[in-house]
Amino acid sequence: MDEQIIQKRILKVTIGTASIIILLILCSLVLIISINEADKDSYNAQLKSLVNEYKINFERQIDSDIQSLKTLASFVEHSQAVSFRNFTKGLDRASGEGQFQKIGYYSKSGKNVRVVLSKGIEEKVDLKDVNVEAQKVIKKSWEGEVEISEVYWDQQLKEKVIVYAVPIQDDTKQKVIGSLVGVKGLDIFSEILNGETITKVNLDVDWINAKGKFVTWSDHSIIKEKMETIHEGDYISKRNKSIIKQKMKERKSYFSEFQVGNTSYPICFQPLELNGWYLVGIDTSKSVKSPVYFMLITIAGIFILVITLCAGAIFSGYKILHKNNEELIQLAYYDQLTGAFNFEKFRDEIQKALTYNTNYSLVVTNIRHFQYINELFGVKKADELLEMVIKTVKQYVIEGEKYCRYQGDQFYLLLRGNNREKIRQRLFYILNAISKNISESKAEYELNLYAGIATSQEGDKACSDNLIHKAEFALKQAKEGHGNTIKFYNERMHEIESLQNFIESNMNQALEQEEFKVYLQPKIALGSEKIAGAEALVRWIRGDGTMVFPDQFIPLFEKNGFCAELDLYMVEQTCKWLRKWMDEGKEVVPISINQSKILFYKSDYVERLCAITEKYHIPNRLITLEILEGLMARDVDKLNQTIQQLHKKGFRISLDDFGTGYSSLNILSKLDIDEVKLDRSFLSDDLMKNETQKVILKNVVNLAKDLHIETVIEGVETKEHHTFVEQIGCYYGQGYFYSKPIPCKEFEEKFMESKRESTKQ
C-alpha cells in the first residue's frame, strides 16, 4: 500500500514536473516568437527610416529644381515688354548657370525656343519634335500646374533625363500663355542614391517607376544582371511579387526579401510623392541591425540553458526585453538630451494631425545668439538651457499639440488653431515664460528667441513638409529683429526669398558683364552755384533693360560681402569716365564714391585702390572716398591710420550721412576727414519749421569750418532749402533741386565743359 502511494506520488511529481517543463517550453516558444516579431518590426522601422533619408534628399532636390524654374518663370512673367530675342538670350544665360541641360519656352501660340547647354539657342522649335514625355508635361502645364515627366532617353543629350514644366501667365495673371521647361539629367539623383545616411550607413538604393521598371541603379547594386523591372528574375518570390504589385498600386511602403544565390537580403519599398515612383532600399551589407537582434540570440540561449528553471526567470527575462524595447523607441523617436520628439517623429505626427484636421499652426523657433552662449558658458550650461526650453514648452502645450528639438537650438511646435492673433499672443506668452524661467534659474545671461509661423487653412493640401518649409521661410525674417520676435509666413516673404536667390546667383555675372552702371548726382558750390563735384551712385540695369533697384540688392551685398568688389568696380568705372573726359579736354570735377566697411578694413585696400587710379592715370585728388560713421564702431585708431595712408596718396575722405545713427559732434574731432556730408533728414519739413533745429544745423556747419572741414548738405529739393543752406554758410549742396542722379553720358552733356570753353568764360 505504501509502495502504491509512493508510486502515485512519483507519478504526480513526474506529471507535474513534465507539465511545468512543457509549460516552460511553450512559454519559451511564445516569447521567442514575440521577440523575433519585435526585432523584425524594429528592424523594418529602422530600415524604413534610413530609406526615408534618401527619399527626403531626393524630393528636396526635385523641390529645389522646381523652385529654380519658378524663380526664372516669375521674371519671365514680369518682363512682358522684353523682346523675344532678348528673352531667348536670357534663357541662354540661365542655361549657362548649369542648373539644367536644356531650358525651353513653349507658348500656346507656337512661338517656341530652346537652349541646350554648350550647344546654343534653337528657335522655332516644333512641339511635335519634342519627346512624347516632354510634350505631355508641357501640355499639362498649360492647364496651370507644375508638372514633372517620367524618365526618358534624350537623343540630343544622349542620356536619361526628366523634364520640369512651369506655367507662364500673361500680364493679367488670368490665363496661362505658355510653359517654361527645364530638362535635367539623372547625375545628381545618382549621387543622392550613392550617398550615405547621417549614421554613415550605405544602402543599395535603386529607383523604379510605377510599373516597377528600373530608372537607375546605385553603383554598388547587388543585382548581377540589369533587369528591366523589379518583377523579373528569381530574386523575389512569386507570392511577394504579387503583393508588391498590389502595394505599389495602393502607394504604400512594403518590406520583403531579396534572394541572391543562397543569401537573403531585407528590401524596403518606399513611395515617392511623384509619378508613382518608388525607392527600393536593400540592406546588402546587413549593417542595419536592431539592438533587439542581439538580445534575441542572448535570451534564446538563456532559455535553452534554464529550460527547467522556474517561470520567474522567464518573467525577469521578459522584463529586460521590455525595458530594452522602450530604450529602442527612445533612440528611434526621441531627442536624447531633452526627451522631446526628434524631427522625423515630429514630421510623422504633423502629417497624422493634418490628415484629420487642417486647423493648425506650425512654429519654428531659435534661441538668439545661442552660439555665444556655448562659447561663453560651455556645453553643459547650454544643454541645461535647451532642457529648460523643452520643460517650459511642455507646461503650455495642450492635448493634440506636438513639439520637438532639432539640430542644436532649433525647436518646432505644432499648435492647434490658425487664428493669427490668438497664435501670436499664445506664442509670445510661451516665449516670455521661457525667458522668465531662465532668469529665475539665476542664469548669467538674458535669453531671447525668434520664431517663424505658418498656418494651415481649410482646403490647404495637408502636407507636413510644405508647412515646415513655410515656417522656416518666416524664421529667416524673424532673425533680423531683436528680443523675442515673431513673423508669420506670407507670399511676400516667398517673393523676397526668390529675389534674393536671383540676386546672389546673378551678381558675379552682372559684375563681369558690367550691368552695374554709374549714375552721377552733381554737387553744387553754394554762392557761385557752379558744379564743384559729383557723387557716383550705382544702378543695376540688366541686359534685357529691366532694373534691380538699389534697396533690393545693396543690403544683401553688405551682408554677403559682395559690396567690397562692387565698390572697387565703381571706382574703376568712375576712373574710366574721368579718363575719357580728360582725353577729350573736358573740365573734370572730383567725384565721390561710397566705400563699405568690409572693404575699408582689408589689408590690401589702399594698394588695390591705387592700382586702379594708376591704371587710368587719374590724379588721386579727383577721387573722394565716402565712409559711414559706423566704421568708428570698430577701431578709430586703425581707421585713422588707413585715412592717413589715403591722404598721403592724395585721396580725399568724406564722412557720409552725418546726423543718422549714433552721430555725435565728437566724431568730427576724432576723424581726420576732409569733408562731412549732412544727412537729408536735416532738411525734413518738420526740422525746417523748427528754429532750434536750424540753429543746431548752423552751428554744426560753423564747427566744421573751425575744424577746416568742408560741408555738403544732401536732400536740397526746393528753393527754400537752397536759400537756407546758403545762408548758414554751407559749402556745397546736393539734391533734386539741382539734379537727380543721371547716367554719365547725360551728366557730360549737362555739366561738363571743355577747358577751352571754360577759359573763354
Side-chain angles (χ1 to χ4, degrees):
M1 189 70 175
D2 293 337
E3 185 177 346
Q4 290 180 347
I5 293 173
I6 293 172
Q7 288 179 349
K8 286 182 179 178
R9 288 180 178 177
I10 292 173
L11 180 62
K12 286 181 180 179
V13 171
T14 303
I15 293 173
T17 302
S19 298
I20 293 173
I21 292 173
I22 292 171
L23 181 62
L24 287 171
I25 292 172
L26 291 175
C27 290
S28 300
L29 290 174
V30 170
L31 187 54
I32 290 172
I33 291 171
S34 299
I35 295 171
N36 188 54
E37 287 299 316
D39 170 63
K40 183 178 180 181
D41 291 342
S42 176
Y43 174 86
N44 287 345
Q46 194 165 355
L47 180 59
K48 180 179 179 181
S49 176
L50 293 173
V51 176
N52 201 45
E53 283 189 44
Y54 290 91
K55 172 185 174 181
I56 290 169
N57 293 332
F58 197 97
E59 292 176 343
R60 281 180 177 171
Q61 179 60 47
I62 290 176
D63 289 343
S64 175
D65 292 339
I66 292 173
Q67 187 57 50
S68 297
L69 205 58
K70 281 184 175 181
T71 300
L72 182 57
S74 68
F75 282 95
V76 173
E77 292 175 347
H78 288 86
S79 304
Q80 299 296 329
V82 179
S83 70
F84 190 76
R85 185 62 185 169
N86 284 338
F87 165 66
T88 301
K89 292 179 180 178
L91 283 184
D92 190 26
R93 287 195 299 274
S95 175
E97 295 174 5
Q99 186 74 15
F100 301 97
Q101 277 88 337
K102 295 182 186 178
I103 297 179
Y105 173 73
Y106 298 88
S107 68
K108 288 185 175 181
S109 64
K111 195 172 185 180
N112 304 328
V113 62
R114 179 170 63 194
V115 177
V116 182
L117 186 63
S118 76
K119 293 186 179 180
I121 303 169
E122 299 176 8
E123 298 185 17
K124 299 181 180 179
V125 178
D126 194 336
L127 188 58
K128 295 179 181 178
D129 296 333
V130 178
N131 183 278
V132 175
E133 289 296 332
Q135 289 184 40
K136 290 179 183 178
V137 296
I138 291 170
K139 291 178 181 179
K140 285 183 180 180
S141 73
W142 285 350
E143 298 174 8
E145 296 293 330
V146 176
E147 296 292 335
I148 303 174
S149 76
E150 290 287 346
V151 176
Y152 67 89
W153 179 263
D154 189 291
Q155 291 293 341
Q156 191 174 25
L157 296 176
K158 303 301 181 184
E159 66 177 299
K160 286 184 178 182
V161 298
I162 57 175
V163 174
Y164 303 88
V166 175
I168 301 294
Q169 296 180 324
D170 63 359
D171 290 336
T172 64
K173 301 288 185 180
Q174 297 298 315
K175 64 179 182 178
V176 176
I177 61 174
S179 176
L180 189 63
V181 173
V183 179
K184 190 179 189 75
L186 305 187
D187 290 347
I188 185 65
F189 300 106
S190 295
E191 289 179 12
I192 292 171
L193 298 183
N194 288 319
E196 292 182 336
T197 65
I198 294 174
T199 54
K200 302 300 181 182
V201 174
N202 200 324
L203 296 180
D204 171 8
V205 183
D206 303 321
W207 175 10
I208 62 175
N209 65 16
K211 296 180 180 179
K213 184 177 180 180
F214 281 93
V215 177
T216 185
W217 295 265
S218 63
D219 292 345
H220 42 274
S221 176
I222 63 169
I223 303 174
K224 302 301 181 184
E225 55 186 331
K226 297 300 183 183
M227 301 186 301
E228 184 73 12
T229 73
I230 193 71
H231 308 304
E232 293 178 14
D234 299 322
Y235 295 104
I236 300 175
S237 68
K238 291 182 179 180
R239 178 178 176 276
N240 275 334
K241 285 180 182 178
S242 176
I243 297 174
I244 289 168
K245 288 180 180 179
Q246 182 61 35
K247 293 292 183 180
M248 289 180 68
K249 286 182 181 179
E250 297 172 357
R251 304 292 300 142
K252 292 182 178 179
S253 300
Y254 183 66
F255 296 91
S256 184
E257 291 185 348
F258 199 81
Q259 192 77 26
V260 179
N262 296 323
T263 306
S264 179
Y265 299 98
I267 183 171
C268 174
F269 291 79
Q270 183 71 359
L272 297 170
E273 301 296 330
L274 302 163
N275 293 350
W277 293 335
Y278 266 79
L279 291 185
V280 179
I282 307 174
D283 181 17
T284 56
S285 64
K286 295 191 176 181
S287 57
V288 182
K289 288 292 185 183
S290 165
V292 180
Y293 173 81
F294 303 101
M295 203 175 303
L296 171 64
I297 302 301
T298 302
I299 295 176
I302 292 173
F303 271 106
I304 292 172
L305 295 173
V306 297
I307 196 70
T308 57
L309 297 180
C310 64
I314 299 174
F315 181 71
S316 298
Y318 178 78
K319 285 187 69 176
I320 293 172
L321 174 65
H322 182 70
K323 179 182 178 181
N324 281 277
N325 275 335
E326 288 181 344
E327 291 176 355
L328 180 63
I329 292 172
Q330 286 290 328
L331 289 170
Y333 299 127
Y334 293 90
D335 174 53
Q336 298 305 296
L337 176 65
T338 64
F341 282 144
N342 62 22
F343 186 67
E344 290 304 321
K345 177 64 174 176
F346 181 72
R347 287 176 71 250
D348 291 342
E349 292 295 322
I350 296 175
Q351 196 60 57
K352 290 177 185 176
L354 292 176
T355 302
Y356 301 103
N357 183 2
T358 59
N359 293 325
Y360 281 96
S361 294
L362 182 72
V363 179
V364 188
T365 182
N366 274 54
I367 299 173
R368 200 174 292 283
H369 307 307
F370 182 72
Q371 67 274 22
Y372 300 125
I373 295 173
N374 253 322
E375 293 173 5
L376 292 173
F377 303 105
V379 175
K380 184 178 179 181
K381 276 280 188 182
D383 286 349
E384 290 175 359
L385 185 150
L386 296 174
E387 291 181 83
M388 185 167 290
V389 170
I390 287 297
K391 286 179 182 177
T392 306
V393 169
K394 188 176 181 180
Q395 293 173 2
Y396 291 97
V397 295
I398 60 177
E399 185 178 354
E401 297 182 338
K402 313 293 180 183
Y403 55 90
C404 85
R405 170 184 170 247
Y406 177 62
Q407 290 185 344
D409 65 319
Q410 188 155 307
F411 301 88
Y412 290 77
L413 291 83
L414 184 68
L415 302 180
R416 300 183 67 174
N418 54 18
N419 181 290
R420 290 195 171 193
E421 190 53 39
K422 290 182 179 178
I423 292 295
R424 184 193 302 276
Q425 291 176 3
R426 187 175 172 208
L427 186 57
F428 263 127
Y429 189 77
I430 293 174
L431 297 185
N432 290 333
I434 293 172
S435 298
K436 181 181 178 183
N437 286 346
I438 294 297
S439 176
E440 290 178 351
S441 68
K442 298 181 180 179
E444 297 138 347
Y445 46 85
E446 180 181 355
L447 179 73
N448 288 304
L449 299 93
Y450 57 97
I453 308 176
T455 58
S456 179
Q457 306 295 331
E458 289 286 353
D460 281 357
K461 183 180 178 181
C463 178
S464 59
D465 286 344
N466 188 37
L467 206 58
I468 290 170
H469 183 67
K470 290 180 178 180
E472 289 173 345
F473 256 158
L475 182 70
K476 293 179 182 178
Q477 302 298 316
K479 187 176 181 180
E480 303 301 320
H482 302 281
N484 288 339
T485 307
I486 293 174
K487 292 287 185 181
F488 280 87
Y489 172 84
N490 55 51
E491 292 301 327
R492 176 61 180 161
M493 287 186 183
H494 184 72
E495 293 172 5
I496 291 171
E497 186 78 11
S498 298
L499 178 60
Q500 289 179 347
N501 289 338
F502 168 81
I503 289 172
E504 290 197 307
S505 61
N506 286 272
M507 60 188 186
N508 288 299
Q509 182 180 353
L511 195 69
E512 292 174 3
Q513 297 179 356
E514 297 189 358
E515 292 183 357
F516 294 104
K517 306 297 182 184
V518 176
Y519 273 50
L520 296 175
Q521 187 174 32
K523 185 167 63 175
I524 303 300
L526 299 173
S528 67
E529 298 189 12
K530 291 183 178 180
I531 185 168
E535 180 180 0
L537 301 167
V538 63
R539 297 292 184 268
W540 184 354
I541 302 175
R542 299 179 60 213
D544 57 10
T546 58
M547 179 179 285
V548 183
F549 296 101
D551 61 348
Q552 293 175 323
F553 65 84
I554 288 178
L556 185 58
F557 288 173
E558 288 175 346
K559 288 182 181 178
N560 64 22
F562 187 70
C563 55
E565 296 303 317
L566 181 60
D567 288 347
L568 290 178
Y569 166 90
M570 289 292 290
V571 172
E572 181 154 9
Q573 295 300 310
T574 300
C575 287
K576 284 182 182 180
W577 280 99
L578 285 171
R579 183 70 267 158
K580 172 183 179 295
W581 292 331
M582 292 168 71
D583 291 344
E584 293 174 354
K586 302 289 186 181
E587 189 74 32
V588 296
V589 293
I591 296 180
S592 302
I593 308 167
N594 289 294
Q595 303 291 279
S596 59
K597 181 190 302 184
I598 189 173
L599 179 61
F600 216 79
Y601 281 102
K602 285 185 176 290
S603 59
D604 62 346
Y605 169 55
V606 177
E607 181 182 345
R608 293 178 68 185
L609 194 63
C610 290
I612 295 172
T613 56
E614 290 171 5
K615 176 181 177 181
Y616 295 96
H617 304 290
I618 302 299
N620 292 344
R621 59 181 172 76
L622 292 177
I623 303 296
T624 299
L625 304 170
E626 292 192 0
I627 62 175
L628 295 174
E629 62 189 68
L631 281 167
M632 288 191 63
R634 295 182 65 175
D635 188 336
V636 177
D637 292 335
K638 187 174 181 181
L639 176 60
N640 272 323
Q641 287 176 11
T642 304
I643 292 175
Q644 288 169 11
Q645 292 179 44
L646 292 168
H647 276 156
K648 287 179 181 179
K649 297 293 184 180
F651 295 100
R652 300 179 76 253
I653 308 298
S654 175
L655 180 64
D656 195 14
D657 292 343
F658 183 82
T660 61
Y662 55 84
S663 296
S664 72
L665 297 178
N666 198 33
I667 291 177
L668 300 179
S669 65
K670 287 185 176 181
L671 288 182
D672 184 15
I673 57 175
D674 304 288
E675 176 185 274
V676 61
K677 297 187 76 172
L678 305 176
D679 187 68
R680 64 183 65 249
S681 60
F682 280 112
L683 296 181
S684 66
D685 292 340
D686 291 339
L687 291 176
M688 288 298 293
K689 296 175 183 178
N690 189 316
E691 292 300 323
T692 301
Q693 294 290 344
K694 289 182 178 181
V695 171
I696 291 173
L697 182 57
K698 180 178 179 180
N699 280 280
V700 170
V701 171
N702 289 334
L703 175 61
K705 282 183 179 180
D706 292 340
L707 295 171
H708 306 291
I709 299 173
E710 295 180 353
T711 52
V712 182
I713 191 158
E714 299 178 296
V716 180
E717 298 183 355
T718 66
K719 179 67 175 177
E720 181 186 4
H721 290 165
H722 170 78
T723 302
F724 170 68
V725 296
E726 189 175 30
Q727 288 174 349
I728 65 174
C730 194
Y731 282 86
Y732 307 106
Q734 183 179 332
Y736 276 42
F737 179 70
Y738 311 112
S739 172
K740 65 180 181 180
I742 54 179
C744 291
K745 186 64 178 174
E746 185 178 344
F747 181 86
E748 175 185 337
E749 294 169 354
K750 286 186 175 182
F751 298 103
M752 301 295 294
E753 297 179 346
S754 68
K755 291 183 179 179
R756 182 178 300 174
E757 292 172 346
S758 177
T759 303
K760 287 181 179 180
Q761 293 176 3

